[in-house]
Amino acid sequence: MYSQGSNNYRINFSGLGCWFTLIAIALLLGSIGLGWLVKSIAIIFVLISVAPFVLFFGVRWWLSRNLIEGNCPVCDTPLTGLNKAQTVCPNCRTQLQVTRSGFERFTPEGTVEVNAVDVTSSDRSDEAVNVSVEVLPPVDEEG
C-alpha cells in the first residue's frame, strides 16, 4: 500500500489564521469595552425606526403649508399647486403664479392688465366694432 506510512499524518494549520484573528478582535474589544458598540447599535436602531415617522409627519406639515388649492382666475377650473411656483392652467393654457391667496395670472414686469368690457347694445349684434390699440414705449425713470 503506502511505503511511507508515517507521512500520512499531517497537521494542517491553514484554518487557524482565521481563528487567531477572531480571538484577537474579541480580546481587543474586551479590553476597550463593548459599551460603545452596544450604544451605537441602539442609536442606529432608534434612528431607523423613528425616521419614517418623522419624515411622514414632516412632509405632511410642509405640504399643509405649501400646497395651495384654488380656481383659475380666467376659466374657473379647480387647480392645485405649490406656493411661489408658476404653472399653466390645463384648461385655458394661461400662465399662472401660485400665491398664498390663490392663483393669479402671471404677467411679466411692465405688462399692463386690462379687462375689456363690451359696451355695444345687444340689439345690434351683427355690426363689428373696431378697436385701436397704441403700444407705448417703456418709460425711462432716469429723467
Side-chain angles (χ1 to χ4, degrees):
M1 294 215 255
Y2 294 110
S3 61
Q4 302 170 349
S6 64
N7 288 338
N8 288 337
Y9 301 106
R10 293 186 182 180
I11 298 175
N12 190 359
F13 292 112
S14 63
L16 290 180
C18 180
W19 286 106
F20 284 135
T21 304
L22 287 176
I23 291 171
I25 290 174
L27 290 174
L28 179 65
L29 290 176
S31 65
I32 294 174
L34 295 176
W36 63 273
L37 183 64
V38 174
K39 289 178 186 176
S40 299
I41 291 172
I43 289 172
I44 289 172
F45 178 73
V46 168
L47 287 177
I48 288 173
S49 61
V50 171
F53 295 107
V54 172
L55 184 65
F56 175 75
F57 289 112
V59 168
R60 282 186 56 143
W61 173 79
W62 183 82
L63 281 176
S64 69
R65 293 191 54 169
N66 290 310
L67 196 63
I68 307 296
E69 294 179 350
N71 294 333
C72 175
V74 177
C75 65
D76 209 32
T77 301
L79 300 171
T80 303
L82 291 176
N83 190 24
K84 298 180 183 176
Q86 292 181 9
T87 185
V88 176
C89 176
N91 190 30
C92 64
R93 307 299 295 166
T94 303
Q95 288 188 354
L96 302 172
Q97 178 72 35
V98 185
T99 61
R100 281 254 182 238
S101 60
F103 291 87
E104 298 174 358
R105 287 183 62 190
F106 176 72
T107 54
E109 190 175 330
T111 303
V112 177
E113 182 97 19
V114 177
N115 291 330
V117 179
D118 186 14
V119 292
T120 61
S121 63
S122 61
D123 59 342
R124 297 187 304 165
S125 62
D126 58 344
E127 292 183 20
V129 177
N130 292 327
V131 177
S132 62
V133 177
E134 182 181 349
V135 178
L136 300 175
V139 177
D140 292 333
E141 295 183 14
E142 294 175 2

